Amino acid sequence: MDQHPRRLCLFVALLCITVKSLAFSNEDKNITISEQKERYEFEAGDKENPVIIRQNLSATYRCNQFRTSIPFVAFYDDRSRIDEVRVYVSGSRAKAIKPTYQNYTVDDIFYSDARICALELPLEKKGAESTVELDKTVLDPRYFSAVYFTEGYEIASKEIQIVIPRWMKVEIREMNFDKFDIRKTAEYNSKRDVDIYTYTAKQLPARVKETNAPGPSYVYPHLLILSKYADLKTGRVNYFNKTADLYAWYHSLVKEIGDDETVVKAKALEITKGISADTAKINAVYHWMQDNIRYIAFEDGIAGFKPEKVQNVLQHKYGDCKGMANLTRGLLKALGYDARLCWIGTDHIAYDYSIPSLAVDNHMICALNYKGKRYFLDATETYIGLDQYAQRIQGRQVMIEDGEKYILDHVPSRNWQQNSAVEKRVLHIDNGALAGKVQQQWDGESKEDLLTQVHGIKKEKLQDALLQYLAENNNKYHINNIHTSDLANWDKLVDIQYELQYQDAVTGFGDELYTELDFRKELSGFIIDTAKREHDMLFSYKHHVINETTLEVPAGYKVGALPEDLKIDRPDYAFNITYKLNSGKIAYHKELIIKNAWLAKAGFCQWNTDIQALDKAYLQQITLSKK
């Protein structure tokens, strides 16, 4: 996580689907998919895999402008396999093009049991077409959860066919069809005793790669495949007929973990040595997890759902969200606290647990029941305090383990005040500079951003990094005598105080002086391109920025007309700026609030108008004239 609170830089979501090409540019018109057909058929398997799904894919890519080649990738894991890949170039079988098989890695995913089958597909000239045919087998219907219609390129014609024998109980939910022309037919083949569902679509647009966008389950048309049960000759095999079945499967994986309680108890006692108060012990465990266990991601297959053993996470000093949640739970339980595992879907996912599917969640945290209150601990959030929650899990439904049963709850929502970033300055004019004392405080996710950046460098350079952060790399912003609160204790807000000498911040012309009292100008220029932007805008979290500056009017000068105030108050955000003159001092107050982290497209025009008003307010100067 690397999000800058002052410029509201936001996260980029990685979109991952079962089979796709690795291109995500809606501006790339050189390549289109002229035809794509996908067929999925449920079949009886063997004792180990009672029901399997055979997938057949045929995708034809067309070159529209100039010669090129494109990567084609198929994903698989330990619950699926690639059976065969065939490539055709200009109608002829290209046997020399052979796929490579390798582990899948991206960004901070250092290891995953997800694998990729990859090849480079040539398109030799304008008008040329190349086709990839792929046969894949999914070994467990639980993992066959969604089929998306859109791809990285525009599609002229697409067909998705799903064949379901009558002995297999499957529910197909059609998601986000409202803005797309997708047609469905259903037929029954009495000879084979199967139902065949065929979906056809024409002129599907390419997926749009946009930062700060909702997850694909919110916006793109897809089919949710809910495999409930199979009535085989050997008896019924239950999958996810209801939410209780989903929990039962998760719980069965938890029972197979094999934690070494002796090891985890010894570590828990070591972490809390010399600490007597319960709340201090809980905080010590939570902070130790955040500070000592590095987050990485394991995805897909069983590793995508089964937590790692606590002793392995302790030994390796890293883990995914499941391993970290399991270790957090283990340490707290070893100390006698009621800690439990939780499954949760972050705000990247559009569903909740009313849908019994592996598509519902993508994260795991720990719940702590203490003195009648439930706390949620997410150790993957490195610098956030106890009972503070990241935007991505706020308000989200959570499934909490409760023995053979489960509890459904919601992570508490927090308003913008959790994430306050406050800066107070008391200044005077000193030979063309603004000089004085500054105090800055950060809390919640604003604090997490600050600490993530300054702790992301070597300790011996921590002071330099902190100075650069405070000055925003402005070489005229000189900071001295800096005092900080304990940067290693993120359970409290971060407090930093220093002396400031802001060179050349005051200009003179004749008998007048001119200056600005806002050094930061947060959100300046944050205009959304409504002509290009396809999706709603998601801020990284609800922001709360306060800047207060008091400027002493120098002797012999008087204040001209103060700049106009700004007051904008919308349902999703508010911008307020005021100027006041009192007892020879000018008081500047600015408050920016992002109340709702989700800004819908319908609000873009108003947002742009309001940002222009904010920019205009930022341009106003204070004029001081000699008496």
Side-chain angles (χ1 to χ4, degrees):
M1 181 176 294
D2 186 15
Q3 300 154 351
H4 197 297
R6 299 196 178 103
R7 296 294 177 253
L8 306 186
C9 296
L10 314 174
F11 63 85
V12 179
L14 173 68
L15 306 180
C16 238
I17 54 178
T18 303
V19 177
K20 66 182 181 71
S21 66
L22 289 181
F24 273 92
S25 174
N26 55 317
E27 297 178 354
D28 183 4
K29 303 298 183 182
N30 187 38
I31 305 298
T32 53
I33 299 175
S34 55
E35 183 181 48
Q36 181 165 326
K37 292 185 177 181
E38 299 177 32
R39 188 175 190 273
Y40 303 88
E41 181 168 358
F42 288 80
E43 296 181 0
D46 53 26
K47 184 177 180 180
E48 183 177 355
N49 303 298
V51 177
I52 61 175
I53 297 97
R54 302 285 189 188
Q55 175 186 354
N56 306 111
L57 167 76
S58 175
T60 299
Y61 296 82
R62 179 179 177 83
C63 177
N64 298 317
Q65 297 171 357
F66 52 85
R67 177 180 180 176
T68 188
S69 63
I70 59 171
F72 176 89
V73 172
F75 288 84
Y76 66 106
D77 52 52
D78 63 351
R79 306 307 298 157
S80 61
R81 65 171 184 256
I82 303 296
D83 299 312
E84 187 178 1
V85 179
R86 299 173 295 278
V87 177
Y88 298 86
V89 176
S90 299
S92 299
R93 179 77 181 268
K95 294 184 178 181
I97 300 177
K98 298 184 181 298
T100 59
Y101 299 84
Q102 60 193 49
N103 288 326
Y104 172 62
T105 59
V106 64
D107 295 336
D108 61 347
I109 302 176
F110 298 103
Y111 167 80
S112 170
D113 61 354
R115 292 175 60 81
I116 59 173
C117 165
L119 59 87
E120 197 74 14
L121 189 67
L123 290 157
E124 298 177 338
K125 60 182 179 180
K126 181 179 179 179
E129 291 188 336
S130 295
T131 301
V132 177
E133 295 179 355
L134 178 139
D135 299 330
K136 177 181 176 179
T137 301
V138 179
L139 301 174
D140 188 334
R142 297 179 183 91
Y143 292 86
F144 179 50
S145 57
V147 180
Y148 278 78
F149 284 84
T150 53
E151 300 284 348
Y153 301 107
E154 293 181 4
I155 304 175
S157 172
K158 182 154 187 175
E159 177 183 285
I160 295 174
Q161 190 174 85
I162 301 175
V163 182
I164 306 173
R166 285 288 173 96
W167 50 259
M168 184 72 199
K169 180 64 174 179
V170 176
E171 179 186 354
I172 301 175
R173 296 196 185 184
E174 299 162 359
M175 312 298 290
N176 303 328
F177 274 32
D178 52 326
K179 296 180 181 179
F180 299 85
D181 183 15
I182 300 174
R183 305 193 178 185
K184 172 187 173 182
T185 62
E187 61 177 300
Y188 172 64
N189 186 317
S190 57
K191 184 177 181 180
R192 299 183 57 207
D193 195 27
V194 298
D195 291 299
I196 303 173
Y197 302 93
T198 304
Y199 295 85
T200 57
K202 302 289 185 182
Q203 305 304 320
L204 287 169
R207 284 198 179 196
V208 179
K209 184 178 181 181
E210 287 185 328
T211 60
N212 326 98
S217 57
Y218 288 98
V219 294
Y220 292 117
H222 61 283
L223 303 173
L224 271 182
I225 312 297
L226 308 181
S227 297
K228 297 180 174 294
Y229 57 84
D231 284 324
L232 302 170
K233 294 179 180 179
T234 54
R236 174 167 289 191
V237 178
N238 201 41
Y239 291 108
F240 297 147
N241 191 32
K242 51 188 177 181
T243 302
D245 298 327
L246 177 65
Y247 172 75
W249 188 73
Y250 283 163
H251 187 54
S252 71
L253 297 179
V254 171
K255 290 191 290 188
E256 296 174 358
I257 296 173
D259 290 337
D260 189 329
E261 295 181 2
T262 303
V263 172
V264 74
K265 185 170 185 178
K267 176 56 71 173
L269 292 174
E270 176 189 323
I271 293 169
T272 58
K273 185 178 180 180
I275 302 174
S276 57
D278 285 338
T279 53
K281 287 182 179 181
I282 293 167
N283 270 309
V285 167
Y286 188 38
H287 292 167
W288 185 90
M289 283 293 307
Q290 293 172 306
D291 201 31
N292 291 274
I293 304 299
R294 185 181 182 186
Y295 170 74
I296 62 170
F298 300 93
E299 296 191 357
D300 295 322
I302 285 294
F305 303 97
K306 182 178 179 180
E308 183 62 274
K309 299 175 183 178
V310 292
Q311 58 268 29
N312 290 353
V313 178
L314 282 171
Q315 178 184 357
H316 297 146
K317 298 295 185 185
Y318 64 76
D320 70 344
C321 62
K322 299 176 298 300
M324 295 180 76
N326 189 42
L327 180 55
T328 305
R329 178 191 70 158
L331 291 168
L332 291 171
K333 286 184 68 176
L335 296 171
Y337 301 111
D338 181 4
R340 309 184 184 194
L341 290 176
C342 304
W343 293 263
I344 186 171
T346 66
D347 60 3
H348 189 68
I349 292 178
Y351 326 119
D352 63 20
Y353 285 102
S354 63
I355 300 174
S357 169
L358 297 184
V360 170
D361 48 43
N362 61 347
H363 194 38
M364 184 176 279
I365 58 178
C366 174
L368 171 69
N369 298 316
Y370 178 68
K371 290 189 175 181
K373 182 176 178 178
R374 180 170 288 147
Y375 300 84
F376 295 97
L377 286 70
D378 183 356
T380 68
E381 296 288 341
T382 309
Y383 300 109
I384 202 165
L386 186 69
D387 206 28
Q388 293 184 329
Y389 301 111
Q391 178 64 39
R392 63 183 183 139
I393 65 171
Q394 285 184 34
R396 300 295 296 180
Q397 191 179 50
V398 60
M399 177 185 281
I400 307 169
E401 65 174 338
D402 190 29
E404 298 301 317
K405 299 179 181 179
Y406 64 92
I407 299 168
L408 291 181
D409 198 355
H410 288 82
V411 175
S413 292
R414 295 287 187 255
N415 65 22
W416 59 91
Q417 291 174 324
Q418 173 189 267
N419 307 318
S420 292
V422 180
E423 184 168 9
K424 297 182 179 181
R425 316 180 193 95
V426 178
L427 305 176
H428 61 274
I429 296 175
D430 181 12
N431 293 323
L434 289 176
K437 295 183 178 181
V438 181
Q439 180 184 33
Q440 290 187 248
Q441 294 179 329
W442 297 263
D443 204 1
E445 292 189 80
S446 293
K447 172 186 61 182
E448 185 178 22
D449 280 336
L450 165 67
L451 294 177
T452 297
Q453 293 190 53
V454 299
H455 282 297
I457 50 86
K458 295 181 179 179
K459 290 186 177 180
E460 60 269 19
K461 295 183 178 180
L462 179 61
Q463 188 81 356
D464 291 341
L466 188 57
L467 291 174
Q468 290 177 12
Y469 184 93
L470 297 173
E472 294 187 341
N473 292 316
N474 186 338
N475 58 14
K476 294 185 178 182
Y477 201 92
H478 301 298
I479 294 174
N480 297 293
N481 296 327
I482 185 169
H483 299 280
T484 72
S485 58
D486 184 2
L487 298 183
N489 182 5
W490 45 87
D491 198 46
K492 298 180 180 180
L493 58 80
V494 171
D495 184 285
I496 299 178
Q497 301 179 36
Y498 53 90
E499 294 177 359
L500 170 67
Q501 188 82 10
Y502 190 11
Q503 298 293 335
D504 301 331
V506 181
T507 58
F509 186 77
D511 291 336
E512 294 183 327
L513 299 176
Y514 303 93
T515 189
E516 298 175 358
L517 295 186
D518 197 313
F519 308 160
R520 307 296 186 186
K521 297 182 174 57
E522 298 92 342
L523 288 175
S524 177
F526 203 112
I527 299 293
I528 299 172
D529 189 340
T530 56
K532 293 184 177 180
R533 182 79 187 184
E534 293 284 342
H535 298 135
D536 296 347
M537 176 76 73
L538 271 63
F539 296 98
S540 51
Y541 51 84
K542 305 179 189 82
H543 289 257
H544 186 213
V545 176
I546 295 177
N547 287 348
E548 295 180 351
T549 300
T550 299
L551 176 65
E552 181 181 344
V553 178
Y557 281 83
K558 62 180 180 179
V559 181
L562 289 173
E564 294 181 1
D565 292 346
L566 175 70
K567 185 173 180 59
I568 295 171
D569 194 355
R570 309 293 179 200
D572 294 332
Y573 57 88
F575 308 150
N576 292 293
I577 293 176
T578 62
Y579 293 85
K580 292 181 180 180
L581 178 62
N582 187 21
S583 301
K585 296 180 180 179
I586 302 171
Y588 171 80
H589 179 88
K590 176 182 68 180
E591 185 173 25
L592 306 179
I593 302 173
I594 303 298
K595 306 175 188 178
N596 184 357
W598 192 307
L599 181 64
K601 282 186 68 176
F604 285 0
C605 289
Q606 185 63 64
W607 169 272
N608 288 346
T609 298
D610 293 338
I611 289 294
Q612 289 170 349
L614 180 63
D615 281 338
K616 182 179 178 181
Y618 281 151
L619 291 174
Q620 297 183 101
Q621 290 189 317
I622 290 175
T623 302
L624 303 174
S625 304
K626 282 188 177 181
K627 294 180 180 178

